[in-house]
Amino acid sequence: MKFSRGSALLLLPGFALFLGFLLFPLVNVLDESFRLYEPGRIGSAKDAPYTLFNYAEILTPSYLRYFAETFKFGVLSSLIALVVAFPIAYAVARQPSPLLRKLAIGFLIGMMFLSTLVRVNALQLTFGPTGYGQLLSGLLNVSANGRFYTELVVIFGLLHYLIPISAITLLGTIQNLNPRLIDASQVLGASRLRSHLSITLPLCMPGLLSAFMICFTLCLSAFVVPMILGKGKVLFVSNLIYSRFSEIANYPSGSAVAITMLIVALSTIYGITWMVSKRYGNLR
């Protein structure tokens, strides 16, 4: 593609916005993460010396627990969302009635853009003491105030918006899949389940990977769900960053946690993409 001066002028406003609203703030956070924090201050002083203490502090067990908790819920919730959303997306994509298909897609889009506060308060009301909390905890034989039940409600809160997003993401991939491949496989003697496992899933792997990455990224940045539904028992890295910045005004520590989380998240995403690409070939 020929890159002319006119093309550069058209890209200049977007590039300037990218620098001003994304790159420069990240550079500022990176610089702050290496500054020495003095207790009692709001952030670091302008002439504060550089140090690696903020990053060394992250290696302590109390900090690593936040990362382990975040990744555990992120991976688990993303996988559950894919398992639940794939049949939904397949049913919608193969729906013969255009009206029902449009209504289903509209419902998924509406659920996807529902306010997070509405989701969280609805789940808290439903699975709290005034809702089905006592009944569900009795069926599971666990305490409604225990950690296991709290973790379960947090997963419900994450799935509340991960499932619609996953289904919407998978719709395009499934619609591009030729249904005659499944019919041909069954004609040759394969069962419906084996046909989907050997044909549908491998061909839908790019969409599944994209849906997983979107869900995983949203889980890593989740803030309201663990803060409200977690009740102090389940806290993500985002809650730790908020606490560093807002409650104790330790900007260097919060910046170091944010940069570390960014690097770990990007490395994880690129690592998963590389492994899946190596296994299934060039994903497009």
Side-chain angles (χ1 to χ4, degrees):
M1 181 181 296
K2 187 177 180 180
F3 192 76
S4 62
R5 182 178 299 179
S7 301
L9 291 176
L10 290 175
L11 293 174
L12 186 60
F15 184 70
L17 290 175
F18 175 81
L19 290 177
F21 293 103
L22 181 61
L23 186 58
F24 286 162
L26 283 178
V27 172
N28 189 26
V29 171
L30 180 63
D31 178 76
E32 184 74 12
S33 67
F34 289 102
R35 297 287 184 175
L36 181 64
Y37 174 72
E38 298 179 7
R41 294 186 57 89
I42 299 178
S44 63
K46 292 183 179 180
D47 56 347
Y50 288 100
T51 179
L52 294 176
F53 174 77
N54 300 315
Y55 288 94
E57 190 180 29
I58 298 176
L59 299 177
T60 59
S62 59
Y63 277 77
L64 293 178
R65 181 174 59 88
Y66 286 94
F67 285 87
E69 195 102 315
T70 303
F71 275 81
K72 180 184 74 173
F73 280 92
V75 173
L76 181 61
S77 301
S78 300
L79 292 177
I80 295 175
L82 290 183
V83 173
V84 176
F86 188 83
I88 296 175
Y90 192 90
V92 173
R94 295 292 183 255
Q95 174 58 242
S97 173
L99 178 60
L100 292 179
R101 186 165 59 250
K102 291 179 181 178
L103 289 176
I105 294 175
F107 175 77
L108 291 174
I109 294 175
M111 291 297 296
M112 187 171 60
F113 288 103
L114 187 65
S115 171
T116 304
L117 288 177
V118 175
R119 300 174 191 271
V120 170
N121 286 289
L123 289 169
Q124 191 175 33
L125 181 64
T126 303
F127 297 103
T130 59
Y132 300 105
Q134 297 298 331
L135 176 62
L136 184 59
S137 61
L139 292 175
L140 297 174
N141 195 24
V142 295
S143 173
N145 296 320
R147 179 176 176 84
F148 177 79
Y149 186 81
T150 303
E151 291 180 349
L152 187 64
V153 175
V154 170
I155 292 177
F156 288 162
L158 295 173
L159 293 177
H160 204 278
Y161 64 89
L162 293 183
I163 292 176
I165 292 176
S166 299
I168 291 293
T169 306
L170 292 171
L171 271 176
T173 302
I174 297 175
Q175 286 177 341
N176 292 330
L177 181 64
N178 190 350
R180 294 182 179 179
L181 295 174
I182 304 298
D183 297 336
S185 176
Q186 294 178 4
V187 168
L188 293 175
S191 64
R192 180 178 292 271
L193 177 60
R194 185 175 180 181
S195 299
H196 284 296
L197 292 177
S198 59
I199 297 176
T200 304
L201 288 180
L203 292 177
C204 291
M205 189 55 62
L208 290 170
L209 177 62
S210 300
F212 178 83
M213 292 305 176
I214 293 173
C215 293
F216 184 68
T217 304
L218 291 174
C219 288
L220 294 183
S221 60
F223 172 73
V224 178
V225 170
M227 183 180 68
I228 297 180
L229 297 180
K231 299 178 181 179
K233 300 182 181 71
V234 178
L235 293 174
F236 287 6
V237 175
S238 56
N239 303 113
L240 174 62
I241 296 173
Y242 174 80
S243 174
R244 299 282 97 180
F245 274 96
S246 179
E247 295 179 2
I248 62 177
N250 190 345
Y251 295 173
S253 177
S255 300
V257 175
I259 294 296
T260 303
M261 189 61 186
L262 177 63
I263 295 174
V264 172
L266 291 177
S267 301
T268 303
I269 291 173
Y270 281 115
I272 295 175
T273 305
W274 178 81
M275 288 188 296
V276 175
S277 300
K278 188 177 181 180
R279 171 65 177 83
Y280 292 97
N282 186 25
L283 297 179
R284 295 180 181 178

